Amino acid sequence: MHRLFAFALALAATIASPLQAQVLSVETYVEQWDPAAGEWVRVSEDDRPRAERLLSAQTQVRQPAIAVYGPFRVDDPSRASLVGVTGSAAPRQFAAMLRDFPRIAALEMVECPGTEDDQANMQVGRMIRAAGIVTHVPTGGSVRSGAVELFLAGADRRIDDGAEFAVHSWLDDSGREPRHFASDSPENRLYLDYYREMGMAEDDARAFYAMTNTAAHADAVWLTAQDMRGWIGQNDDPDARVTAAPAAPNPAIAYLDLSRSFP
């Protein structure tokens, strides 16, 4: 059994100004229970099973942001990055960012573990699409769980080699997953309708959603850059869109990914 720790540190600029930049960094490590010592001990990257590699090797934020709005950071007046988890405040944070920086045209998805509020997350996705913003996952970028919905929202979606994605089933506040509901129930249509809004044909939306649900909430399906290109129609090879096998049982995805409730 392993557990993951990810610490984000924010160092505010010391000079007084109307808008102070923040420098963000992420330190990540895994602890493993040592029954002999009776305590958790830190393990090295080499000792970790592949299924529990949660963050890519390049999670260090590369430059100071000129403004920060929750998990959204403005790199320059035309480009923002997503680093962290979206929550119920994400639509307000994203709207404030666009209000202050209306020329933002691209969202770079660097380290995106998921969301704490699916419906708010989808609202941000619709805002991304309405604003005509491009979503880009760079080499080393990691887009997981609910963050995949934000990637799909891009008016244009760009994936560099070496990017990674992870998907799994959602889990509601009662512990139910998609399989507990009829395929066309409101709970499942919420996602299918969103994928259709983001440009997928009905059959493709159903196929993609079914693929994400091959992994239970506690598991994950890991996708390479090439895998995801196939799902969004950016591969010439019609056989390139394959369903990835689920990872080994019980991989962890950092943070709380898909917690939501239905009326």
Side-chain angles (χ1 to χ4, degrees):
M1 180 178 180
H2 296 72
R3 62 182 184 182
L4 174 94
F5 286 83
F7 295 97
L9 305 177
L11 303 178
T14 57
I15 59 173
S17 66
L19 183 64
Q20 292 187 343
Q22 290 183 324
V23 180
L24 305 179
S25 64
V26 177
E27 178 189 3
T28 305
Y29 65 88
V30 168
E31 288 188 340
Q32 177 175 292
W33 180 255
D34 185 338
E39 62 183 2
W40 291 93
V41 296
R42 189 163 173 169
V43 297
S44 70
E45 181 74 19
D46 292 340
D47 293 333
R48 295 166 59 183
R50 174 59 183 85
E52 291 192 18
R53 187 181 64 77
L54 306 181
L55 306 179
S56 66
Q58 300 182 19
T59 57
Q60 184 80 17
V61 175
R62 290 164 291 183
Q63 63 183 29
I66 62 176
V68 176
Y69 300 81
F72 304 103
R73 51 192 305 275
V74 180
D75 301 315
D76 63 52
S78 65
R79 184 172 58 90
S81 296
L82 176 58
V83 182
V85 181
T86 64
S88 58
R92 174 177 53 80
Q93 293 162 339
F94 193 79
M97 181 177 71
L98 293 186
R99 178 199 64 212
D100 296 342
F101 296 91
R103 293 197 292 115
I104 287 177
L107 180 66
E108 188 168 88
M109 305 189 73
V110 179
E111 171 48 39
C112 312
T115 185
E116 294 173 343
D117 186 332
D118 263 10
Q119 298 195 47
N121 192 62
M122 291 182 189
Q123 185 178 344
V124 173
R126 293 181 175 100
M127 295 166 71
I128 291 171
R129 178 57 64 96
I133 292 173
V134 171
T135 52
H136 172 225
V137 189
T139 298
S142 185
V143 177
R144 309 188 294 279
S145 195
V148 173
E149 270 74 61
L150 298 185
F151 167 73
L152 294 174
D156 186 20
R157 295 161 289 190
R158 301 172 185 171
I159 307 170
D160 291 350
D161 290 342
E164 69 175 10
F165 299 80
V167 295
H168 62 166
S169 299
W170 50 260
L171 185 75
D172 71 11
D173 292 342
S174 300
R176 297 172 299 181
E177 300 188 20
R179 61 187 174 85
H180 293 112
F181 300 90
S183 60
D184 279 324
S185 66
E187 293 80 4
N188 284 316
R189 283 296 335 172
L190 181 72
Y191 296 86
L192 293 170
D193 291 346
Y194 179 84
Y195 298 144
R196 291 282 292 111
E197 286 182 57
M198 297 305 119
M200 288 187 179
E202 180 71 23
D203 288 348
D204 291 338
R206 287 184 178 277
F208 182 78
Y209 187 51
M211 182 274 294
T212 69
N213 292 331
T214 58
H217 181 71
D219 296 331
V221 172
W222 290 90
L223 304 170
T224 65
Q226 190 72 0
D227 293 331
M228 184 57 76
R229 288 183 191 126
W231 282 104
I232 62 174
Q234 293 183 0
N235 281 332
D236 294 332
D237 182 357
D239 296 326
R241 197 186 73 176
V242 297
T243 300
N250 299 322
I253 294 185
Y255 307 101
L256 179 62
D257 298 302
L258 287 170
S259 176
R260 60 187 300 277
S261 60
F262 299 99

